[in-house]
Amino acid sequence: ATVRALLADPALRQQHVRAVAALALHEENTFSGVALDYRGLPGELRPALTAFVRDLAALLHAGDATLTVILPAPVYDAPGRRWLTGAYDWGAIGQAADQVAIALPADPEAWEPGGVVEDLIAWATGQISRSDLLLEVSALSIEDQGEGLFVPVSPGEVLARWSTVRLEPAGQAGAGQPVIAQLAGAGGVTLRSGVDEAIATAYLALEDADGSELRRLWLTDAAALQDRLALAVRANLGGVLVRDLWRTGTLPGLAEVLAAYRVGAGAALDSSDLVVIWTVRAGDTVIEQSATSPGALFRFEAPGHYPAVSVEARLDGAVLGRAELTIAQPEPTPASPDDAAATTPTPEPDTPDS
């Protein structure tokens, strides 16, 4: 049965409570508790969800286990000047559970000083004790797909969709001729990089030929994560809950930032750049390899001694694009008759035996 059906039926709800508690408390398991994430429920299930949390918390506490409940951020009703919580009774859930994590908006700009995240914290700490409140964030980068849609993503997968490898000259070059490779999109689309200093977050923007932004990729690097953890410290909250930390596509340094946060350490970090690895190869032979930022040019000389090479760009293991280049070899210069005469030795006459 779906979660909605389980919660709506009192008998099924009790069965679900016992099943979850039994799993967490089974002697063969080493769980310290349960993290409950039941987002997307309709408002009419508010009493049922509250009852479920209370009953589950009671069973877990009886077995010395804990309950953390992840709650979706409420929606602010500006005309009514209130937060709409829907199916989630923050006060009642906060009293029953050991900790409550706020599932924050995916939009990185919500972290601006005086922005949505700070407003949410100010409201939530009026419902739940600060020491029991966690901030939930994703370790993945965020693609702004427009119209308010923000999706956690791997940068490599996004750039693979956005771009391909373009060579100049394209298709063929002479041996020793300079070649320029770059990531580019169709129809004059280009990549631009930048940093939003207010939220310590670097980004890549996909722009059309007129400079209008089509997409933006916000990079959750070590500096961005540290800036978000610092807000939890300033607000004196109970901690953070970081999703997707071990997912493919997270940027380097995040685990180290979390380790420093746990011991109350951590110096200010600069936003890091994405690194694109360029490889020129002939078959299985790597001829040249270099690293650049996504918007930078990669320059190399077309190698001799090979009829063709491939030029590949990778980021975080994902192939962003590949282009083939045929190498035109110089034509051999035919020898002139004079050159032949000059280089052909004259046979010595035979010397008669004496």
Side-chain angles (χ1 to χ4, degrees):
T2 65
V3 170
R4 294 187 184 190
L6 290 171
L7 294 177
D9 185 299
L12 291 177
R13 184 169 68 240
Q14 286 303 313
Q15 291 179 20
H16 189 40
V17 166
R18 291 191 292 271
V20 174
L23 176 64
L25 300 176
H26 194 281
E27 60 183 13
E28 294 184 0
N29 294 329
T30 57
F31 303 132
S32 61
V34 171
L36 188 71
D37 188 355
Y38 283 175
R39 280 177 263 189
L41 296 176
E44 59 266 23
L45 288 178
R46 183 183 180 101
L49 176 63
T50 301
F52 173 76
V53 170
R54 284 174 176 157
D55 293 344
L56 179 59
L59 281 183
L60 292 174
H61 292 160
D64 294 326
T66 62
L67 175 61
T68 298
V69 181
I70 303 168
L71 296 181
V75 178
Y76 186 65
D77 174 28
R81 303 183 65 182
R82 59 178 181 159
W83 293 92
L84 305 178
T85 56
Y88 308 93
D89 186 336
W90 281 62
I93 290 174
Q95 289 180 353
D98 297 278
Q99 292 180 314
V100 171
I102 311 175
L104 295 168
D107 180 5
E109 291 183 301
W111 292 84
E112 291 180 347
V116 173
V117 171
E118 290 190 3
D119 289 345
L120 275 170
I121 292 173
W123 171 83
T125 51
Q127 310 296 312
I128 298 169
S129 171
R130 290 178 183 272
S131 60
D132 297 337
L133 197 61
L134 312 177
L135 298 184
E136 190 222 36
V137 297
S138 173
L140 288 171
S141 296
I142 302 294
E143 183 183 8
D144 179 357
Q145 297 183 345
E147 299 182 354
L149 184 59
F150 297 87
V151 181
V153 292
S154 159
E157 292 174 357
V158 171
L159 290 178
R161 285 191 279 108
W162 282 8
S163 60
T164 187
V165 171
R166 182 181 298 167
L167 300 180
E168 180 60 41
Q172 186 178 55
Q177 181 178 352
V179 180
I180 296 175
Q182 63 179 322
L183 292 175
V189 172
T190 58
L191 291 173
R192 177 177 61 85
S193 61
V195 178
D196 189 327
E197 300 291 350
I199 54 175
T201 304
Y203 63 84
L204 292 171
L206 189 67
E207 297 180 341
D208 63 18
D210 298 326
S212 299
E213 190 169 308
L214 306 173
R215 291 279 193 278
R216 178 171 289 201
L217 174 62
W218 293 98
L219 305 176
T220 304
D221 58 11
L225 180 59
Q226 186 182 70
D227 188 69
R228 294 164 198 177
L229 301 184
L231 179 55
V233 174
R234 293 195 302 271
N236 198 28
L237 302 182
V240 294
L241 191 159
V242 180
R243 289 183 292 109
D244 309 316
L245 185 61
W246 307 117
R247 288 270 300 273
T248 300
T250 57
L251 297 179
L254 302 188
E256 290 78 4
V257 168
L258 277 174
Y261 166 80
R262 292 186 65 181
V263 298
L269 299 173
D270 293 328
S271 294
S272 59
D273 292 327
L274 286 181
V275 175
V276 175
I277 304 299
W278 293 91
T279 304
V280 181
R281 58 163 52 93
D284 295 330
T285 303
V286 175
I287 301 167
E288 186 172 346
Q289 197 166 63
S290 185
T292 71
S293 61
L297 303 178
F298 167 53
R299 303 174 187 271
F300 67 98
E301 288 188 358
H305 312 298
Y306 297 100
V309 296
S310 66
V311 183
E312 180 186 83
R314 284 179 175 262
L315 189 148
D316 291 332
V319 177
L320 305 183
R322 186 183 293 111
E324 305 299 323
L325 186 68
T326 301
I327 310 298
Q329 303 296 331
E331 295 290 336
T333 304
S336 66
D338 291 341
D339 292 338
T343 58
T344 301
T346 303
E348 295 288 335
D350 294 336
T351 303
D353 295 334
S354 55

